[in-house]
Amino acid sequence: MMGKTIDLQIRRQDTPYSPPYWQTFSIPYREGHNIVSALMVIREHPLTQEGQLVDPVVWEFNCMEEVCGACSMVINGKPRQACSTLIDSLEQPIKLEPLGKFPVVRDLMIDRSKIFSDLKRVRAWIEIDGAWDIHRGAPRISPETWKESYLYSRCMSCGCCMEACPQYGMEKAFVGPAALAAVRLMNNHPTGSYHQQQRLHAIMGDGGLSDCGNTQNCVRVCPKQIPLTTAIGELGRQTTLQLLRDLFGKS
Ligand code: SF4
């Protein structure tokens, strides 16, 4: 191929059970390409550097603005979002791999179901029972609390923190940093706090807070700069208080 190119080495896998293999593609350089747009060019004409026409590369994306979390992959060894990773910021050849902590569906597409089952496990939602009029009876949230909670609400379940966490894996019980931060977020909400006890009990057992090894990798890779280690520290205090309440019979 003549002229400046963008070279991508992609780890491919045809089925969840077949062995992975690598293929390299070169596309013409264009300013402003991100990983998703480069993969789109390859998809139009999936020709390897060796001139072999192959099946288009499979990956997931949706919002293209780092909100949905679907396009997470390992880019040059770092878990991040394909949509917001600009080609010009990367060394070439660019190496793309699926997140390694989750089952591969095909190529760069992974099955993130464990993230969502862990969020369910810690009751990461707020129940609105309709018992009060939202505009008159609901508890008010101070601007300070709102501002603090907003930091945590930006989690997009992208999986990058789980990928970086040595304690997290399909065979491990640990719910992971994002689910812990979600507990902190929900417990901090006046309505969510009604179920604080259940959430704390969910993370006081096997696979909960004590499985965190404090490597702090999670907070370094989070694309949303969510203060995950702060959340984990706060939950340490909340679970200690809950333990004392349990011991002395107070709810
Ligand atoms: Fe992704 Fe950050 Fe949420 Fe982890 S905490 S899932 S890295 S947005």
Side-chain angles (χ1 to χ4, degrees), residues 154-162 178 218 221-224 226 228:
R154 294 174 306 160
C155 177
M156 52 186 170
S157 304
C158 67
C160 290
C161 56
M162 291 83 153
C218 54
V221 298
C222 175
K224 295 296 191 185
I226 293 173
L228 294 160

Side-chain angles (χ1 to χ4, degrees), residues 26-232:
S26 291
I27 62 169
Y29 176 80
R30 186 169 62 79
E31 208 181 337
H33 257 312
N34 59 35
I35 295 293
V36 170
S37 63
L39 284 170
M40 284 172 161
V41 174
I42 294 173
R43 184 172 61 183
E44 280 172 24
H45 191 54
L47 195 68
T48 66
Q49 253 183 4
E50 294 75 32
Q52 187 190 1
L53 197 60
V54 295
D55 288 336
V57 178
V58 174
W59 83 102
E60 259 193 312
F61 72 99
N62 187 14
C63 72
M64 291 294 283
E65 53 182 354
E66 209 181 68
V67 170
C68 74
C71 67
S72 304
M73 57 184 73
V74 180
I75 301 169
N76 282 357
K78 187 179 170 199
R80 53 198 298 188
Q81 304 299 290
C83 66
S84 56
T85 303
L86 297 173
I87 297 288
D88 289 333
S89 69
L90 298 169
E91 269 186 32
Q92 290 205 46
I94 299 161
K95 215 169 175 182
L96 303 183
E97 298 167 78
L99 293 187
K101 293 285 174 76
F102 302 92
V104 171
V105 176
R106 186 166 178 175
D107 296 335
L108 302 169
M109 185 181 177
I110 49 152
D111 178 355
R112 294 187 298 156
S113 308
K114 185 174 187 299
I115 299 179
F116 304 108
S117 58
D118 286 336
L119 287 170
K120 278 189 211 155
R121 197 171 138 198
V122 300
R123 206 187 173 105
W125 67 87
I126 291 172
E127 271 170 45
I128 304 289
D129 63 5
W132 55 46
D133 179 316
I134 285 177
H135 297 293
R136 281 189 289 125
R140 289 185 177 269
I141 302 176
S142 71
E144 292 74 29
T145 306
W146 176 87
K147 200 173 159 190
E148 209 185 340
S149 293
Y150 178 70
L151 294 175
Y152 294 95
S153 71
R154 294 174 306 160
C155 177
M156 52 186 170
S157 304
C158 67
C160 290
C161 56
M162 291 83 153
E163 178 73 7
C165 174
Q167 299 297 105
Y168 188 88
M170 289 307 291
E171 310 306 325
K172 298 183 181 176
F174 185 39
V175 294
L180 291 175
V183 169
R184 192 254 173 236
L185 171 67
M186 302 301 159
N187 284 358
N188 209 36
H189 189 280
T191 311
S193 66
Y194 289 141
H195 294 101
Q196 167 168 315
Q197 190 180 351
Q198 281 123 301
R199 287 191 206 97
L200 293 178
H201 281 160
I203 60 164
M204 283 161 74
D206 191 29
L209 197 60
S210 60
D211 284 25
C212 167
N214 200 27
T215 53
Q216 311 204 1
N217 289 357
C218 54
V219 77
R220 291 187 201 110
V221 298
C222 175
K224 295 296 191 185
Q225 291 88 42
I226 293 173
L228 294 160
T229 45
T230 306
I232 290 168

